[in-house]
Every structure is written in structure tokens, then in C-alpha cells.
């Protein structure tokens, strides 16, 4: 290969490397850019749905416990799974950046409900008697209803 052909190969490699770098930079931008209002609302609704499902699971498991229809091992596993889901949802909400005031208001409405779900699931899981469990189940039921209202208000 002559010197001229070697320069052409190097030139082509540099162009290909620059194109690959631009592609990666574009991908990094798309992945890391804050969502727009509709994208943020989608994240909020996903988080609300996860928290609602976890709260509803806690209600169902707690009611079954109160009627002695589930084993302690089953209840422990169900509460643990629901708490893990809420923790992931909480993290997802914390990492998302609200792009505007309306989105921040929606986040501020949702965040306490997600935190309440986590706390109430923990209360239900650690309940030592039926009265404590019943109170935790009632609280979870109320939180699930509020989450359902939030989801319904934001189609």
C-alpha cells in the first residue's frame, strides 16, 4: 500500500471515528436530557401506578392475614415485594426532573403518597396484633384510593 492509500485509510478511519463519537454524544444526550412535561407526566403516572399496586397488595394481604387465610411466610414475602416496588418507584420519582411548575405540583402531590405507602406497608409487615394490622390496612386502603384519584385526574 502506497503512502497516498495509507493517508486515505487514516482519513476514512478518522471520519468513521468522528461519526461514531457524534452518534454516542447524541445517544447520551437523548438518554440524559430531562423529560418534557408529557414525558414527566408519564413517569409520574408509572410511579403512581406502582405505588397504588403496592398499597392494594398490602390491603389484600393484610385482610387475608386478619382472616387467617395466609401464612406468615407468604405475608412477609408479599409485603417485602411490595416494599421493594415502592422503593424503586420512589427512586424513579426522585431522579426525574420536573420540567415546569405544573409538573412540580404533580410531583409534590405524589411524593407524600409514595412515602406513605412505604411507611404503611412497613407498619403492616411489622404489625404484632390485629388492631395494629387493621389500622395499617385501613391506612393503605386510604392511600390506594388517593393514588387512584391522582391517576384518574391525570389521564
Amino acid at each position: 500500500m502506497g503512502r497516498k492509500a495509507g493517508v486515505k485509510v487514516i482519513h476514512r478511519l478518522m471520519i468513521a471515528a468522528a461519526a461514531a463519537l457524534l452518534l454516542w454524544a447524541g445517544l447520551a444526550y437523548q438518554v440524559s436530557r430531562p423529560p418534557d412535561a408529557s414525558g414527566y407526566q408519564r413517569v409520574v403516572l408509572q410511579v403512581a401506578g406502582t405505588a397504588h399496586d403496592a398499597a392494594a397488595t398490602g390491603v389484600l394481604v393484610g385482610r387475608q392475614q386478619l382472616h387467617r387465610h395466609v401464612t406468615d411466610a407468604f405475608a412477609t414475602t408479599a409485603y417485602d415485594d411490595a416494599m421493594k416496588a415502592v422503593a424503586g418507584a420512589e427512586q424513579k420519582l426522585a431522579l426525574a426532573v420536573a420540567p415546569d411548575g405544573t409538573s412540580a405540583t404533580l410531583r409534590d402531590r405524589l411524593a407524600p403518597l409514595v412515602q406513605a405507602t412505604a411507611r404503611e406497608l412497613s407498619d403492616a409487615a411489622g404489625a404484632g396484633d390485629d388492631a395494629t394490622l387493621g389500622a395499617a390496612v385501613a391506612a393503605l386502603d386510604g392511600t390506594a384510593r388517593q393514588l387512584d384519584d391522582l391517576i384518574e385526574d391525570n389521564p
Side-chain angles (χ1 to χ4, degrees):
M1 177 178 344
R3 179 177 157 100
K4 195 172 188 179
V7 170
K8 281 186 177 183
V9 169
I10 291 173
H11 183 66
R12 286 183 181 162
L13 285 173
M14 289 175 64
I15 290 172
L21 183 61
L22 286 174
L23 179 69
W24 278 108
L27 180 64
Y29 172 75
Q30 291 295 325
V31 170
S32 64
R33 73 181 173 142
D36 60 3
S38 66
Y40 188 80
Q41 183 177 13
R42 189 170 37 256
V43 168
V44 165
L45 291 176
Q46 289 170 349
V47 169
T50 299
H52 174 271
D53 293 350
T57 297
V59 170
L60 292 172
V61 171
R63 286 179 180 160
Q64 293 302 308
Q65 273 186 290
L66 289 169
H67 291 101
R68 310 289 186 256
H69 292 156
V70 295
T71 65
D72 289 340
F74 175 85
T76 299
T77 301
Y79 288 131
D80 187 51
D81 289 347
M83 286 188 280
K84 285 178 185 175
V86 171
E90 243 177 336
Q91 183 177 18
K92 186 174 190 173
L93 184 63
L95 293 175
V97 178
D100 56 29
T102 303
S103 299
T105 300
L106 186 57
R107 177 203 58 218
D108 293 345
R109 183 176 167 200
L110 175 60
L113 295 173
V114 175
Q115 293 167 354
T117 302
R119 184 180 58 254
E120 293 158 2
L121 282 167
S122 178
D123 291 347
D129 57 59
D130 286 355
T132 304
L133 180 58
V137 168
L140 279 165
D141 191 40
T143 301
R145 290 174 197 269
Q146 291 179 60
L147 287 161
D148 190 46
D149 290 344
L150 186 145
I151 292 166
E152 291 292 322
D153 291 347
N154 295 281

